[in-house]
């Protein structure tokens, strides 16, 4: 996945394109639920395996034009150009279900572990900056986490949040 440096340039460019053409653009923030517990229980090698498996699953669920980034730690962000809030809901649930169904093999063992993610998303509003759209998606992410994790939440931008 891309990194934060790439995000600054490409997300700014995509947001500008979306604003100037009044095009749909949805933004996601997601993170792996209880990731610290995974590292503390199984070690950082397993934590790395989890990050790689989640990143691969994210890529598998997206179109080539979508823009996934490892935001930091166990957090990821995604811009979905040309994607309405209704279609973003479908993508968010696809991401959540795909990762929930994964089995991640533990090294040198017959056991595997499963992980879940919490997802927050929003749609571009007039006047958005990269920071404001990511902040709205992040607020939805934390709403999903507070509601019990392994959920998808949309932030409509007017203070209204809906869980799926």
């Amino acid at each position: 996945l891309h990194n934060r440096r790439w995000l600054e340039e490409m997300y700014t460019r995509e947001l500008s394109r979306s604003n100037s053409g009044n095009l749909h653009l949805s933004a996601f923030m997601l993170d792996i639920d209880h990731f610290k517990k995974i590292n503390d229980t199984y070690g950082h090698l397993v934590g790395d395996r989890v990050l790689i498996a989640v990143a691969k699953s994210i890529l598998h669920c997206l179109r080539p034009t979508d823009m996934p980034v490892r935001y930091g730690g166990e957090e990821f962000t995604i811009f979905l150009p040309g994607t309405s809030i209704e279609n973003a809901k479908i993508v968010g649930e696809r991401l959540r279900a795909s990762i929930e169904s994964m089995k991640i093999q533990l090294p040198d063992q017959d056991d595997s572990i499963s992980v879940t993610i919490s997802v927050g998303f929003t749609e571009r509003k007039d006047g958005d900056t990269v920071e404001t759209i990511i902040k709205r998606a992040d607020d939805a992410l934390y709403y999903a986490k507070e509601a019990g994790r392994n959920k998808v939440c949309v932030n409509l931008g007017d203070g209204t949040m809906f869980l799926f």
Side-chain angles (χ1 to χ4, degrees):
L1 296 181
H2 299 287
N3 61 24
R4 291 282 292 271
R5 191 172 358 156
W6 184 90
L7 174 153
E8 293 297 329
E9 179 181 338
M10 295 306 292
Y11 277 23
T12 300
R13 184 180 301 165
E14 184 56 39
L15 188 59
S16 176
R17 188 180 79 80
S18 180
N19 279 329
S20 66
N22 198 27
L23 305 171
H24 287 292
L25 172 68
S26 292
F28 282 73
M29 283 294 294
L30 59 98
D31 83 3
I32 302 168
D33 297 327
H34 304 293
F35 186 71
K36 182 179 179 342
K37 185 176 179 182
I38 293 166
N39 275 338
D40 290 349
T41 303
Y42 300 104
H44 292 284
L45 180 61
V46 172
D48 285 347
R49 282 185 179 215
V50 167
L51 288 170
I52 291 166
V54 168
K56 286 180 179 179
S57 185
I58 289 169
L59 289 171
H60 180 74
C61 290
L62 299 177
R63 305 167 298 185
T65 56
D66 295 333
M67 305 167 82
V69 171
R70 181 166 175 210
Y71 197 72
E74 72 277 11
E75 288 188 313
F76 302 85
T77 184
I78 308 165
F79 264 23
L80 285 81
T83 304
S84 68
I85 206 157
E86 294 83 10
N87 289 333
K89 175 188 171 200
I90 295 166
V91 173
E93 179 55 27
R94 183 184 324 135
L95 287 162
R96 189 206 61 74
S98 173
I99 290 166
E100 181 182 38
S101 70
M102 289 187 319
K103 299 291 183 222
I104 302 163
Q105 191 65 42
L106 294 174
D108 303 324
Q109 296 183 34
D110 292 333
D111 287 340
S112 62
I113 61 170
S114 298
V115 297
T116 60
I117 60 169
S118 296
V119 180
F121 71 97
T122 193
E123 190 173 19
R124 179 196 60 79
K125 305 284 184 208
D126 289 340
D128 263 337
T129 64
V130 171
E131 293 78 20
T132 60
I133 195 171
I134 287 177
K135 170 77 167 92
R136 273 200 320 281
D138 197 44
D139 290 347
L141 166 65
Y142 279 94
Y143 193 89
K145 287 182 137 342
E146 289 170 4
R149 294 182 166 81
N150 193 27
K151 298 192 183 326
V152 177
C153 179
V154 62
N155 183 342
L156 297 180
D158 61 1
T160 306
M161 306 271 193
F162 287 107
L163 287 168
F164 305 104

